[in-house]
Amino acid sequence: MGPLPRTLELFYDVLSPYSWFGFAVLCRYKNIWNISLQLRPTFIAGIMKDSGNQPPALLPRKAQYLERNDVRLLGQHVQVPVQFPKDFFSVILEKGSLSAMRFLTAVSMEHPEMLEKVSRELWMRVWSRDEDITEPQSILAAAEKAGMPSEQARGLLEKISTPKVKNKLKETTEAACKYGAFGLPITVAHLDNQTHVLFGSDRMELLAHLLGEKWMGPVPPATNARL
């Protein structure tokens, strides 16, 4: 028997394109590295409020840089089909992601095997096809595209307003805050007696170093660029 896999927690919100990049890379490496990847749906607005941070796009010069350069080029590098929403401020700052993240929380509680696929489809809607993720029909469409039976998806959607689901998302968000999150994604690596917290999607090479694993770029050869 080899060494036990090390646990990695990825705290993410589908409103964050950088969360998508980190998610894509870790999902590709989860069968290459000796890790147990735990996906943690988190509410980014709660983290921003708790930390006193502001969305980077509120600074006009930074917003321009993110849209014209960073997000587009990182999408190409990580091989994720990312596209800025046309009405970015409405999508990100007004509509937000509360229902979507509550839905993913319900998925994680009842059908964790579907969490990766449903998360990916919500990102595809908001950050690739510029489609809504706030209306019930939008969330159901993402779940069904991920392969979830429609009755199952409807059942989960009914639970997003229950205290159980609301509290779970709140607890996960509070856990991220306790780890020192001021934005998303954060990756928490539990190694032997140490816990390392890495912010952002661009610390994967450092993560490989901490794990004693080999970094082969964002699209390791064995995976054929699975999103």
Side-chain angles (χ1 to χ4, degrees):
M1 257 181 76
L4 289 170
R6 274 73 57 84
T7 300
L8 295 185
E9 298 180 88
L10 176 70
F11 292 83
Y12 68 97
D13 187 318
V14 295
L15 214 53
S16 155
Y18 296 96
S19 286
W20 191 7
F21 301 148
F23 167 94
V25 171
L26 287 178
C27 286
R28 291 168 189 159
Y29 273 95
K30 69 179 180 179
N31 297 319
I32 298 173
W33 291 346
N34 185 30
I35 57 173
S36 167
L37 178 61
Q38 298 180 357
L39 299 174
R40 300 275 188 246
T42 312
F43 187 44
I44 195 167
I47 287 181
M48 299 307 247
K49 187 178 176 188
D50 187 75
S51 65
N53 197 0
Q54 293 284 324
L58 287 181
L59 184 69
R61 205 173 285 179
K62 195 178 268 191
Q64 204 173 49
Y65 168 75
L66 294 180
E67 182 170 2
R68 291 184 185 171
N69 299 293
D70 204 47
V71 169
R72 182 176 60 86
L73 295 175
L74 271 173
Q76 291 170 10
H77 179 57
V78 179
Q79 294 186 26
V80 164
V82 70
Q83 197 83 36
F84 244 74
K86 283 187 182 67
D87 191 351
F88 174 80
F89 283 95
S90 167
V91 169
I92 305 301
L93 300 176
E94 290 169 17
K95 291 183 176 179
S97 61
L98 186 57
S99 294
M101 297 318 294
R102 281 181 179 161
F103 185 77
L104 288 176
T105 299
V107 173
S108 74
M109 292 165 82
E110 300 207 7
H111 298 284
E113 72 287 353
M114 292 298 297
L115 184 57
E116 181 184 331
K117 286 183 175 175
V118 180
S119 298
R120 190 178 285 115
E121 291 303 334
L122 283 165
W123 266 305
M124 287 293 291
R125 286 186 70 85
V126 67
W127 272 105
S128 190
R129 300 194 300 269
D130 199 5
E131 293 172 355
D132 175 72
I133 57 161
T134 62
E135 298 295 329
Q137 288 309 318
S138 306
I139 294 170
L140 289 175
E144 286 174 37
K145 207 165 171 58
M148 184 179 280
S150 57
E151 320 80 68
Q152 197 178 86
R154 284 176 195 281
L156 290 176
L157 194 62
E158 283 169 14
K159 293 182 179 177
I160 69 170
S161 54
T162 62
K164 197 175 173 185
V165 170
K166 285 181 176 180
N167 289 338
K168 177 66 176 169
L169 178 59
K170 198 174 170 208
E171 281 164 24
T172 307
T173 304
E174 283 169 357
C177 289
K178 284 195 180 100
Y179 282 125
F182 49 86
L184 291 174
I186 64 164
T187 305
V188 180
H190 301 276
L191 313 177
D192 305 320
N193 300 320
Q194 286 188 308
T195 298
H196 297 278
V197 180
L198 304 175
F199 171 71
S201 60
D202 55 355
R203 293 292 183 267
M204 297 303 169
E205 199 167 350
L206 176 56
L207 179 61
H209 166 73
L210 292 170
L211 292 166
E213 296 279 4
K214 189 179 178 192
W215 172 246
M216 296 174 277
V219 189
T223 61
N224 298 324
R226 279 204 328 270
L227 298 180

